[in-house]
Amino acid sequence: MKSYYLGCDVSKGYADFIILDQSKHIFVSSFQLDDTRTGHKQMETVIRGFFKKRSDCVLFCGVESTGGYENNWYALLRRLGMEFPLRVTRLNPKGVKHHGKSSLQRVETDKTSARTIADYLITHYDVVRYDEEDQFSLLRRHFKFIVLLKKQKAQLLNQLESLLYSANPELLQYCRRTVPQWLLRLLEECPTAADICQASEQSLSTIPYLSDYRAGELISQATNSVASTQSPAMGTIIKGAVRQIQTLTENIKVHVSLIMEQCQLPEIELLKTIPGISDYSAICLYLEIGDVNRFPSAKKLACFFGIHPAFKESGDGKYEIKMSKQGRVRPRVILFMSVFNAIQQDSHLAAVYASYLQRGIAKMSAIGIMMHKLARIVYGVLKNKEAYDPEIDRNNQTAIRKTQHSPDEHKKERRYQGFDPTAPISRRHMKKRKEQKRPKTDNSSVHNGITSALLNDIDDDIDLSRITVTQIMNGEGQ
């Protein structure tokens, strides 16, 4: 059965298509259709005409992810796949882009991008997954909307702090951690220091959680305020910002409750057994992970989140190890905040974190390692469908210590030839060879920020939380 490959480069309102054969030759030259009913009907006509002449073939279709613009075309091709031998996949644009660069593509247009997508399907057929059901796509969009609302609220809170610094800076002492509700209610009635001076203690004390004593303090502070702006216009701006913050707060509560009602799943209940992971965090992690079986190992899940250690070694050059951050952003944010709660709630994780600090690892580096460990725990809980148990992690660490060995990496690399002293190498590399020949001691495992133990752990998928490298995350745990 012959195979043909359709590349679809999606733009806002239209898309470019091209069909290649197995030899990467153009079978159907590029054409462009609008993302309208007429365009979709024409696409159906093209597909029907294609299979009418070729009934013994399969058409593989690739649609590049473009932030949602590809959804209509993807849904259309999925519907056609129920009628014809057509398979469709959604591609990561980063992989397609690097594939185009590796082909020395000099000109980039919509036509060439469509051909690059089809070429990518042919070249990387072994890693492309077709016809995957994404049952959480709508929930992810809902969760993304909640994240957007929280960002808008944070921006308004920052703007409110800037306004208060000019209108009533004495109130900022109550906003060190968060802005309390009583302060927002106060700013609705008395946005500037001059307004507070004109108010009475009785009127201010009617605000919930604002006592008579604090009301007197606020009036006294406003009387001696160093505020530079007391104009009514400033008060109007502050009131508008406060109303927007309160509206966003209510909207966030409503949408969070809605998404929690839709996510009453046993997997989320399992994730909530992990210390530091709340309802909101469990929903975010599970929506990003989906079916955990699509990840062969915990290392693959860590790479998906972008929390795996990245390093580079080429010739004489060596670069420090740091967190990759080449992956999903929201799960990293969730894991970062969850680690702080986990080390306070769970004695086992707190002891693991303290052991890294005792080895001399920086705090942020240790947080990054704990993020990796928490991701592995998440993988184990979902894979085995068992609640979190610290004893399981302790037993795993004990088993790793018994089976872990530390062979000299240079012996593997130089098994066909030993070091030749007459080789024309640089002084830096000569120094490295001399250090490798020396017998290793307990304190000689670190060499320019990279250890053989780290390389062995990365290759063999061994517990990375046991790596004793002080610069493993380069202070980039956030």
Side-chain angles (χ1 to χ4, degrees):
M1 182 176 290
K2 293 184 179 180
S3 299
Y4 295 90
Y5 301 85
L6 184 145
C8 175
D9 181 67
V10 180
S11 302
K12 186 178 180 180
Y14 65 95
D16 288 82
F17 302 88
I18 194 172
I19 299 179
L20 304 182
D21 59 15
Q22 289 177 316
S23 302
K24 299 185 179 181
H25 296 149
I26 297 178
F27 190 79
V28 177
S29 58
S30 61
F31 58 95
Q32 189 177 97
L33 298 173
D34 289 334
D35 193 4
T36 60
R37 169 61 63 181
T38 305
H40 284 215
K41 286 290 185 181
Q42 187 59 44
M43 187 64 191
E44 291 184 21
T45 303
V46 172
I47 296 298
R48 292 181 186 279
F50 177 85
F51 283 105
K52 186 176 181 180
K53 298 178 181 179
R54 300 160 196 86
S55 57
D56 59 339
C57 68
V58 179
L59 182 61
F60 296 94
C61 306
V63 181
E64 192 178 41
S65 296
T66 55
Y69 291 142
E70 80 284 356
N71 289 337
N72 296 338
W73 295 109
Y74 183 81
L76 171 63
L77 294 173
R78 287 297 301 271
R79 288 197 300 269
L80 292 174
M82 299 178 182
E83 184 178 355
F84 301 101
L86 182 150
R87 305 182 65 187
V88 61
T89 182
R90 200 189 305 258
L91 298 175
N92 188 331
K94 186 173 183 179
V96 177
K97 180 180 180 180
H98 284 287
H99 176 71
K101 288 184 177 181
S102 66
S103 303
L104 300 180
Q105 182 177 305
R106 295 172 176 83
V107 179
E108 185 176 353
T109 62
D110 292 338
K111 295 180 180 179
T112 59
S113 297
R115 181 166 184 172
T116 302
I117 292 172
D119 192 287
Y120 181 88
L121 296 177
I122 301 172
T123 306
H124 303 282
Y125 66 92
D126 54 334
V127 297
V128 178
R129 298 190 296 267
Y130 292 94
D131 302 327
E132 284 192 332
E133 289 287 347
D134 190 2
Q135 55 181 334
F136 301 119
S137 60
L138 185 58
L139 288 174
R140 273 200 298 272
R141 294 175 72 89
H142 195 177
F143 191 87
K144 187 177 181 180
F145 179 69
I146 296 175
V147 174
L148 176 63
L149 293 180
K150 289 191 172 185
K151 287 183 178 179
Q152 292 177 349
K153 181 181 176 181
Q155 291 174 348
L156 284 171
L157 288 172
N158 293 336
Q159 183 66 21
L160 179 63
E161 181 180 354
S162 176
L163 295 172
L164 288 179
Y165 199 89
S166 300
N168 196 344
E170 287 72 23
L171 292 179
L172 292 178
Q173 61 180 312
Y174 305 106
C175 307
R176 291 192 177 98
R177 291 188 176 272
T178 184
V179 180
Q181 287 297 320
W182 67 264
L183 183 57
L184 294 176
R185 290 283 302 276
L186 172 66
L187 294 175
E188 275 191 303
E189 300 178 8
C190 307
T192 63
D195 296 329
I196 295 179
C197 290
Q198 297 175 3
S200 62
E201 293 185 11
Q202 291 76 12
S203 61
L204 295 182
S205 59
T206 58
I207 298 175
Y209 302 102
L210 184 57
S211 62
D212 295 338
Y213 175 76
R214 178 168 288 178
E217 271 191 338
L218 293 175
I219 295 175
S220 175
Q221 293 170 359
T223 305
N224 302 316
S225 176
V226 295
S228 59
T229 305
Q230 301 290 339
S231 64
M234 175 62 75
T236 303
I237 297 174
I238 293 177
K239 286 183 178 180
V242 169
R243 292 193 189 100
Q244 289 294 329
I245 291 172
Q246 292 176 332
T247 301
L248 287 172
T249 302
E250 293 300 321
N251 287 339
I252 290 172
K253 289 181 180 179
V254 170
H255 287 285
V256 168
S257 61
L258 286 176
I259 200 171
M260 285 185 176
E261 291 177 2
Q262 301 176 60
C263 293
Q264 300 293 334
L265 301 172
E267 291 84 358
I268 293 179
E269 296 299 323
L270 287 174
L271 290 177
K272 287 162 58 177
T273 63
I274 302 175
I277 296 183
S278 61
D279 295 343
Y280 182 83
S281 302
I283 291 173
C284 174
L285 291 175
Y286 186 67
L287 292 182
E288 294 290 345
I289 296 172
D291 185 9
V292 72
N293 293 317
R294 66 194 183 106
F295 299 100
S297 64
K299 183 171 70 173
K300 297 296 183 181
L301 179 61
C303 294
F304 181 72
F305 289 164
I307 58 177
H308 62 286
F311 62 94
K312 180 180 178 182
E313 180 178 1
S314 178
D316 291 341
K318 290 181 176 60
Y319 306 87
E320 54 194 352
I321 300 174
K322 60 181 181 180
M323 183 180 287
S324 169
K325 296 188 178 181
Q326 297 294 320
R328 299 278 187 170
V329 177
R330 284 193 293 272
R332 287 204 302 274
V333 176
I334 294 296
L335 289 176
F336 178 77
M337 300 306 299
S338 298
V339 165
F340 288 97
N341 295 327
I343 58 181
Q344 294 178 0
Q345 300 175 8
D346 187 74
S347 58
H348 169 62
L349 295 178
V352 174
Y353 174 71
S355 67
Y356 295 138
L357 299 182
Q358 292 174 359
R359 299 175 191 177
I361 298 178
K363 288 185 178 179
M364 294 308 298
S365 299
I367 291 295
I369 302 175
M370 292 299 296
M371 289 170 61
H372 195 289
K373 185 174 188 63
L374 205 60
R376 295 198 305 276
I377 293 175
V378 167
Y379 180 83
V381 166
L382 293 177
K383 189 74 172 179
N384 300 319
K385 297 182 180 179
E386 296 180 359
Y388 167 75
D389 185 0
E391 288 300 323
I392 295 178
D393 188 66
R394 292 191 184 96
N395 296 334
N396 290 339
Q397 288 186 348
T398 303
I400 290 173
R401 293 190 188 99
K402 291 180 179 179
T403 59
Q404 186 178 15
H405 57 281
S406 56
D408 294 332
E409 291 296 325
H410 73 276
K411 290 183 179 180
K412 292 183 179 180
E413 297 172 357
R414 307 293 302 193
R415 61 184 179 275
Y416 296 120
Q417 181 193 15
F419 291 138
D420 191 342
T422 63
I425 60 178
S426 64
R427 288 181 293 178
R428 182 185 297 179
H429 202 77
M430 179 61 72
K431 182 179 179 181
K432 176 183 176 181
R433 290 189 176 187
K434 290 180 179 178
E435 291 179 352
Q436 289 176 345
K437 288 182 178 180
R438 296 172 185 169
K440 293 185 179 181
T441 60
D442 294 338
N443 298 325
S444 63
S445 60
V446 179
H447 180 65
N448 292 335
I450 299 178
T451 66
S452 60
L454 175 60
L455 300 178
N456 186 48
D457 285 350
I458 293 176
D459 292 339
D460 299 336
D461 194 23
I462 296 178
D463 190 352
L464 291 179
S465 64
R466 301 185 65 249
I467 301 168
T468 58
V469 183
T470 58
Q471 297 174 341
I472 189 168
M473 296 300 174
N474 190 27
E476 298 187 8
Q478 300 185 38

